[in-house]
């Protein structure tokens, strides 16, 4: 639990004056301007470990939208872009490095118009369908076999988003049978004829998407009835193993929606989803991916932080109906959403990804780690070329984004045991938004090591974070001079992690965080063994 003891940066600066970079151990290529740094005391409560951080909270989402799947992941085996069985080699390699724990597909809004039967069999014979949600034609060349193979190739669990909006439950159940039956049913044999003998495993099945909107325009009570009906008829073959059925839930702070779903259908579901997108403006004027102001930055960070209190609110409702904590809360769409640039030809919902995205991504992962009792899966929107993407492509070129690097740096937290972190927080104030300067997360990794992640969200000032104990910190830092610093196809390494290390002096271990930075370190502290 973070203790939010806000004090103005001014008084904090008066208390401790030092130079941001003095004594910091990160590489010379990350060179933000020196600035006075506030000081923050941090302590890690090793005596009270929390529930395991499920690796799946570092999951991703890929939809048939813009160039998210076609071009971004799939170019087909005949493409001149180097590929393995149709999947781009560059994207495959980048994703393998991240160890993506779970991948949600094929939507989004697209899921509720998708018929899986269109996407199996010889590709040349598959029907071409209009993508009613996002425009264009879908030739169905990326279908079930292609998705399941892809998930297997990158070592990810499959999270199928089922069509509850316009498909009968029988057909949804048959999808699972086609994929995972080891029998000789007609569907299982069809899978074999389509090139896959061994059954795959489907770990998660979503029941519809945003049923309150593009998934059917239902109210929560009507949606609950649908969930009861569909969950009844989804009976996966025993060879599939456990299948987690996820009811499409509300968004943001819609606690009443969660309340109605839990009251009317809670017994029938294994998890309820929640969607949360962040903008500095509103739905009609979301804000810009590049060239934004410090006030936009502050609002974006502040709104990303709101998810913390929303998760607390939804957890309260879930605790009322499910005190045993059986039902998970899955934030299966989240991220920054900016206004598109009409002149950009990179496809629907394509946006650049900057240091601001890195800061909010790291903050959001910290929030998930604090809610590990309920939040057992999350999926950033989206994987490639869409919204807050990990990867951007342009023809044969590919670039990884600052958000990708945050996910990479945070890998030690997958499957880790979190510890409560107490931070005395200065705040920064820009354009009317008052934002805590530092956010963090501490955990014992599956590797047995103690890990600490820290974010300095202040775009203008460095901060010093002090741990009382003696020891050392070794890891990486992501930072840049400009708020909207980003990687381009011509300059793919403008924002990449740099080595970072600190050793304690007489005052304990002090980590200097430059303005707008994310640091993940392994701590070696006196008295911090397990
Ligand atoms: O991620 C883009 C869209 O945002 C999804 O299709 C939908 O579920 C949400 O509104």
């Amino acid at each position: 639990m973070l203790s939010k003891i806000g004090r103005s940066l001014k008084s904090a600066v008066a208390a401790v004056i030092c130079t941001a970079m003095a004594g910091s151990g990160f590489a010379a290529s990350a060179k933000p301007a020196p600035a006075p740094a506030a000081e923050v005391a941090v302590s890690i409560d090793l005596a009270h470990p929390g529930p395991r951080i499920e690796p799946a909270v570092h999951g991703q989402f890929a939809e048939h939208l813009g160039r998210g799947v076609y071009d971004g992941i799939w170019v087909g085996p005949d493409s001149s872009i180097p590929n393995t069985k149709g999947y781009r080699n560059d994207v495959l390699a980048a994703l393998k490095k991240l160890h993506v724990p779970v991948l949600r597909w094929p939507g989004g809004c697209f899921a509720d118009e998708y018929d899986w039967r269109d996407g199996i069999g010889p590709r040349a014979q598959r029907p071409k369908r209009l993508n009613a949600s996002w425009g264009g034609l879908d030739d169905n060349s990326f279908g079930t076999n292609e998705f399941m193979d892809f998930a297997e190739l990158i070592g990810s669990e499959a999270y199928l988003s089922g069509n509850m909006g316009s498909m009968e439950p029988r057909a949804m159940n048959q999808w699972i049978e086609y994929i995972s039956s080891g029998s000789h049913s007609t569907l299982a044999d069809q899978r074999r004829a389509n090139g896959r003998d061994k059954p795959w495993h489907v770990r998660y099945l979503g029941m519809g998407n945003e049923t309150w909107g593009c998934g059917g325009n239902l109210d929560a009570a009507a949606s609950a009835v649908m969930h009861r009906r569909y969950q009844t008829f989804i009976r996966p073959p025993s060879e599939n193993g456990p299948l987690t059925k996820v009811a499409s839930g509300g968004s943001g702070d819609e606690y009443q929606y969660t309340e109605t779903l839990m009251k009317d259908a809670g017994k029938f579901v294994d998890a309820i989803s929640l969607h949360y997108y962040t903008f500095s403006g509103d739905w009609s004027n979301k804000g810009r991916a590049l060239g934004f102001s410090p006030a936009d930055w502050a609002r974006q960070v502040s709104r990303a932080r709101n998810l913390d209190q929303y998760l607390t609110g939804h957890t309260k409702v879930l605790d009322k109906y499910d005190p045993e904590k059986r039902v998970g809360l899955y934030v299966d769409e989240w991220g920054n959403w900016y206004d598109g640039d009409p002149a950009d030809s990179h496809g629907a919902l394509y946006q650049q990804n900057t240091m601001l995205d890195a800061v909010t991504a790291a903050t959001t992962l910290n929030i998930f780690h604090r809610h590990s009792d309920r939040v057992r899966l999350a999926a950033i929107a989206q994987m490639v070329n869409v919204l807050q993407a990990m990867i951007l492509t342009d023809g044969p070129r590919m670039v990884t984004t600052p958000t990708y690097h945050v996910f990479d740096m945070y890998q030690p937290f997958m499957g880790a045991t979190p510890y409560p972190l107490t931070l005395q927080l200065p705040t920064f104030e820009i354009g009317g938004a008052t934002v805590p300067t530092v956010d963090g997360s501490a955990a014992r990794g599956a590797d047995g090591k103690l890990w600490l992640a820290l974010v300095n969200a202040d775009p203008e000032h460095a901060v010093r974070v002090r741990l009382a104990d003696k020891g050392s910190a070794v890891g990486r830092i992501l930072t840049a001079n400009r708020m909207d610093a980003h990687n381009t196809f011509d300059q793919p390494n403008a924002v990449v992690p740099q080595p970072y290390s600190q050793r304690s002096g007489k005052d304990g271990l002090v980590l200097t965080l430059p303005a707008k930075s994310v640091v993940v370190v392994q701590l070696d502290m006196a008295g911090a063994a397990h």
Side-chain angles (χ1 to χ4, degrees):
M1 173 71 71
L2 289 178
S3 95
K4 294 171 182 166
I5 307 170
R7 62 192 165 108
S8 80
L9 186 60
K10 244 190 189 162
S11 60
V13 170
V16 182
I17 307 285
C18 64
T19 304
M21 310 292 289
S24 79
F26 65 86
S29 59
K31 274 189 209 143
E39 185 161 295
V40 171
V42 61
S43 66
I44 303 170
D45 183 359
L46 294 171
H48 295 99
R52 173 179 132 105
I53 298 166
E54 287 302 325
V57 299
H58 291 227
Q60 301 184 29
F61 166 41
E63 179 167 11
H64 287 227
L65 190 181
R67 295 186 308 115
V69 170
Y70 298 110
D71 258 24
I73 293 170
W74 177 257
V75 287
D78 301 329
S79 172
S80 58
I81 296 174
N83 68 85
T84 302
K85 294 198 303 184
Y87 312 102
R88 295 179 69 116
N89 286 346
D90 48 3
V91 171
L92 266 182
L95 291 172
K96 277 184 186 169
K97 205 176 148 229
L98 277 194
H99 301 105
V100 183
V102 59
L103 178 57
R104 178 174 181 253
W105 172 87
C109 293
F110 179 80
D112 282 304
E113 63 178 272
Y114 182 63
D115 187 336
W116 66 270
R117 294 164 293 200
D118 289 344
I120 58 171
R123 284 189 203 109
Q125 289 164 30
R126 295 183 194 174
K128 293 182 178 51
R129 304 281 185 211
L130 292 174
N131 183 329
S133 295
W134 303 109
L137 264 188
D138 191 324
D139 69 2
N140 279 298
S141 55
F142 190 92
T144 296
N145 287 54
E146 288 77 15
F147 169 71
M148 294 303 298
D149 263 345
F150 177 62
E152 198 168 71
L153 268 174
I154 61 171
S156 179
E157 294 277 14
Y159 179 176
L160 296 177
S161 193
N163 177 347
M164 190 169 82
S166 64
M167 179 179 264
E168 285 303 303
R170 183 166 182 266
M172 195 193 282
N173 195 46
Q174 288 181 336
W175 196 11
I176 309 299
E177 179 183 330
Y178 171 86
I179 293 171
S180 67
S181 173
S183 76
H184 280 283
S185 73
T186 300
L187 285 166
D189 280 345
Q190 216 174 337
R191 182 196 67 236
R192 291 189 184 92
N194 292 337
R196 173 73 182 202
D197 181 31
K198 194 172 147 219
W200 288 287
H201 166 57
V202 181
R203 181 73 181 83
Y204 306 95
L205 178 65
M207 304 289 162
N209 172 78
E210 298 189 352
T211 53
W212 40 267
C214 62
N217 286 309
L218 307 174
D219 62 20
S223 178
V225 172
M226 293 280 279
H227 287 306
R228 290 163 67 133
R229 176 165 172 245
Y230 273 72
Q231 312 265 351
T232 306
F233 294 106
I234 302 302
R235 286 173 288 207
S238 55
E239 311 84 274
N240 185 71
L243 175 74
T244 303
K245 299 178 197 171
V246 188
S248 158
S251 75
D253 59 353
E254 291 166 351
Y255 308 128
Q256 188 53 49
Y257 200 96
T258 302
E259 172 102 32
T260 304
L261 271 192
M262 282 305 288
K263 180 164 66 61
D264 294 355
K267 287 199 191 79
F268 298 85
V269 309
D270 301 317
I272 288 187
S273 75
L274 182 78
H275 289 181
Y276 187 58
Y277 286 103
T278 312
F279 358 91
S280 61
D282 55 30
W283 269 106
S284 55
N285 187 7
K286 299 185 189 69
R288 289 188 292 176
L290 297 176
F292 46 80
S293 69
D296 293 333
W297 167 291
R299 264 197 310 277
Q300 192 90 23
V301 175
S302 169
R303 290 179 181 176
R305 290 184 62 99
N306 285 345
L307 181 59
D308 207 341
Q309 82 205 43
Y310 298 162
L311 292 178
T312 303
H314 289 287
T315 297
K316 226 178 188 170
V317 177
L318 286 162
D319 285 351
K320 178 170 154 195
Y321 292 95
D322 173 39
E324 293 81 29
K325 295 193 181 281
R326 184 187 63 80
V327 177
L329 180 60
Y330 288 5
V331 190
D332 61 13
E333 285 186 30
W334 67 271
N336 291 331
W337 192 328
Y338 305 106
D339 290 324
D341 175 357
D344 193 303
S345 58
H346 282 105
L349 304 195
Y350 179 91
Q351 61 190 37
Q352 249 303 351
N353 193 294
T354 69
M355 207 47 228
L356 172 56
D357 296 282
V359 162
T360 59
T363 303
T364 305
L365 292 178
N366 293 339
I367 292 170
F368 293 151
H369 299 168
R370 291 200 275 282
H371 289 272
S372 61
D373 64 328
R374 277 290 176 191
V375 180
R376 299 173 199 146
L377 181 147
I380 189 168
Q382 297 194 7
M383 186 176 245
V384 191
N385 288 334
V386 174
L387 298 177
Q388 192 174 346
M390 300 282 147
I391 291 171
L392 302 174
T393 68
D394 179 26
R397 302 194 291 175
M398 180 208 82
V399 69
T400 50
T401 65
T403 297
Y404 173 96
H405 294 303
V406 167
F407 271 66
D408 185 22
M409 290 162 69
Y410 269 66
Q411 286 199 52
F413 288 89
M414 290 200 270
T417 302
Y419 295 118
L421 194 65
T422 305
L423 283 163
Q424 287 182 319
L425 298 181
T427 54
F428 67 91
E429 198 182 322
I430 304 177
T434 304
V435 187
T437 306
V438 181
D439 192 83
S441 178
R444 175 84 56 196
D447 56 6
K449 294 174 180 159
L450 183 59
W451 290 91
L452 176 66
L454 293 166
V455 183
N456 177 7
D458 188 327
E460 288 157 2
H461 301 94
V463 67
R464 286 160 45 96
V465 175
R466 180 192 304 279
L467 288 114
D469 287 334
K470 297 230 180 295
S472 65
V474 178
R476 289 189 290 170
I477 184 170
L478 191 69
T479 189
N481 285 332
R482 292 172 55 90
M483 291 188 296
D484 67 352
H486 58 277
N487 296 326
T488 64
F489 299 106
D490 294 324
Q491 285 192 303
N493 295 319
V495 187
V496 291
Q498 302 290 338
Y500 180 98
S501 62
Q502 295 285 357
R503 287 205 157 277
S504 58
K506 61 177 174 11
D507 302 330
L509 181 61
V510 177
L511 307 182
T512 300
L513 309 181
K516 44 182 151 38
S517 61
V518 178
V519 164
V520 177
V521 283
Q522 189 225 311
L523 292 176
D524 207 345
M525 305 294 290
H530 8 3

